[in-house]
Amino acid sequence: MTTVRRGAAALAAAAVLGTGFAPAALAAPSTSPSPSAALPAGLYGTGDPTYDGVWRQSLALLAQDTAGVTPADQAVAFLTGQQCADGSFAAYRPDTSAACDGKTKPDTNSSGAAAQALAALGGQDAAVAKTVGWLKSVQNEDGGWGFYPGDASDANSTSAVIGALAAAGEKPAEVTSGDGRSPYDSLLSFALPCDGEDGGAFEYQKGTPGFIGDSTAAAVTAANGRGLVVPPATGNGGEDAECGSGADLADAARNGAAYLAGEVAETGHLDTPPMPGAEDSDPAPDYGNTADTVVALSAQGVPGQAAKPLDWLKKNGASWAEQAGPAAWAQLVLAAHATGTDPRDFGGTDLVAGLNATGPAPKSGGASAEPDAGGSETPGEEAGDGDGGSLTTWWIVGVFFIAAVGVGFLFSGRRKNQG
């Protein structure tokens, strides 16, 4: 099973539970649209964009930008057209001629990713400023953000907004709530001590179990003032991260990096967490959060600890991306970029060609050799159904098992869409 941040499968479970969220680390395929449902022009991927249209588009544009690719005008127009009048972004607006309303609920993750993509592309200052203004307006008193405005703060959403603020030229430490608390204050509150379970990690929300690799990778990156794009580290970096005291955010980021490094030290990859009733099953590799771990360790300045998961992704990532779609290709490109690795020769695979093949032909920078895996499809017809990756039957059953037995604590207050 694979993991790319934000999962549609849990939305189905959420419907049973009567809630509106889905855990960020759940893997989920995007369902293919019906033959009569035409996909919007410029969209990356062929899957239903309902839960992840803005997210996968933003990642694709960011990854192309790092690789020197100028995307098609219609690809950028799709993303700018998704913005609501107040500057926010929802997961997807099927009818952009209609104003955003209660049925088009904006969220901080889609908005944060879109702001980062538009800032990177340039020429979108007004749009970025409106999004940042909206994000500031929905900041919680603890300095952080939840997935939807008014939700309790969580590490992933707070990290997504930190990335957007940094991309827009803001200083996150100076973006404070009415109580004078910054996003970094909120982020520090999710750090776990070294001497307990999952020592050094960042939990998603206080007391929320599971999916801790996802929240830790996001938080370590954000604690270093970075977003989805992390520039390649220069030199050999510092000493390997080890878990120690957690007096401030810098200590917590080091501890989080140590946790991630420990998790990938043996196999080279993170594992997906077991679902209730499936604890005895063999763990499955978590491709998406392994890529995010490489980015986080690079942001922390410990490239040596990122080497093993990077090598594992070089051997295994292309087959995952071929099935999972544009956001998966983009995550691999961003992992390559953060480590100074050539994305056009990533274990023999041209990641850029694989990504480009999932959307409209770029204006420039798209010429490259076909990738060894996943590059044979024509643009917009890749072998994936969005960016969620393949979803094994037991995981689907597990999600609905949670709904059936009412394990509400796992999903408490968490609203995630597909990505």
Side-chain angles (χ1 to χ4, degrees):
M1 189 182 64
T2 62
T3 303
V4 182
R5 204 171 288 165
R6 288 150 200 84
L11 285 168
V16 178
L17 289 168
T19 59
F21 71 93
L26 281 177
S30 300
T31 55
S32 296
S34 64
S36 60
L39 288 169
L43 176 67
Y44 288 88
T46 59
D48 183 352
T50 299
Y51 304 115
D52 76 328
V54 167
W55 179 260
R56 78 193 195 206
Q57 194 80 359
S58 299
L59 262 67
L61 294 173
L62 277 168
Q64 286 183 321
D65 183 69
T66 67
V69 174
T70 303
D73 289 340
Q74 64 179 182
V76 180
F78 168 82
L79 186 57
T80 57
Q82 288 289 306
Q83 189 175 39
C84 297
D86 62 2
S88 65
F89 285 81
Y92 174 63
R93 292 173 60 196
D95 182 7
T96 55
S97 66
C100 296
D101 54 24
K103 295 180 180 179
T104 309
K105 196 166 185 178
D107 68 79
T108 59
N109 288 232
S110 298
S111 300
Q116 293 181 57
L118 294 176
L121 294 173
Q124 303 290 339
D125 291 352
V128 173
K130 288 188 70 174
T131 303
V132 168
W134 178 81
L135 289 168
K136 288 180 178 180
S137 75
V138 296
Q139 185 177 22
N140 290 334
E141 287 303 311
D142 67 359
W145 287 265
F147 185 74
Y148 290 128
D151 283 356
S153 298
D154 66 75
N156 292 73
S157 299
T158 301
S159 297
V161 178
I162 288 173
L165 294 172
E170 299 270 351
K171 295 181 179 179
E174 297 178 2
V175 177
T176 56
S177 67
D179 285 353
R181 286 180 281 185
S182 78
Y184 292 138
D185 293 323
S186 179
L187 204 59
L188 182 59
S189 72
F190 305 114
L192 296 173
C194 293
D195 57 358
E197 184 178 1
D198 297 319
F202 286 79
E203 53 190 347
Y204 172 76
Q205 285 178 330
K206 296 176 184 178
T208 301
F211 313 112
I212 205 157
D214 181 36
S215 53
T216 303
V220 169
T221 303
N224 282 280
R226 302 296 186 183
L228 293 165
V229 176
V230 170
T234 57
N236 296 324
E239 297 180 358
D240 286 352
E242 296 182 357
C243 207
S245 65
D248 57 26
L249 188 60
D251 291 337
R254 180 203 62 224
N255 294 347
Y259 168 83
L260 293 171
E263 291 295 295
V264 300
E266 182 176 352
T267 63
H269 62 79
L270 295 181
D271 290 328
T272 56
M275 294 298 293
E279 286 84 354
D280 295 334
S281 62
D282 292 334
D286 184 340
Y287 293 82
N289 284 323
T290 298
D292 288 347
T293 291
V294 170
V295 173
L297 293 174
S298 298
Q300 185 63 27
V302 287
Q305 289 177 305
K308 189 164 187 176
L310 179 68
D311 287 342
W312 185 86
L313 287 171
K314 287 180 178 179
K315 296 174 183 176
N316 300 282
S319 59
W320 163 63
E322 180 182 5
Q323 296 299 315
W329 286 112
Q331 282 185 279
L332 294 178
V333 171
L334 295 175
H337 178 73
T339 56
T341 304
D342 184 0
R344 297 183 186 272
D345 184 12
F346 192 78
T349 297
D350 187 338
L351 301 177
V352 181
L355 173 59
N356 290 346
T358 69
K363 292 175 67 175
S364 65
S368 56
E370 289 297 317
D372 291 345
S376 60
E377 294 82 5
T378 56
E381 296 179 346
E382 84 288 355
D385 283 329
D387 72 346
S390 60
L391 184 64
T392 56
T393 301
W394 71 264
W395 187 262
I396 299 175
V397 172
V399 169
F400 283 94
F401 173 80
I402 292 174
V405 300
V407 188
F409 65 86
L410 179 62
F411 294 148
S412 176
R414 189 170 188 175
R415 296 185 174 93
K416 287 299 214 176
N417 70 340
Q418 160 111 353

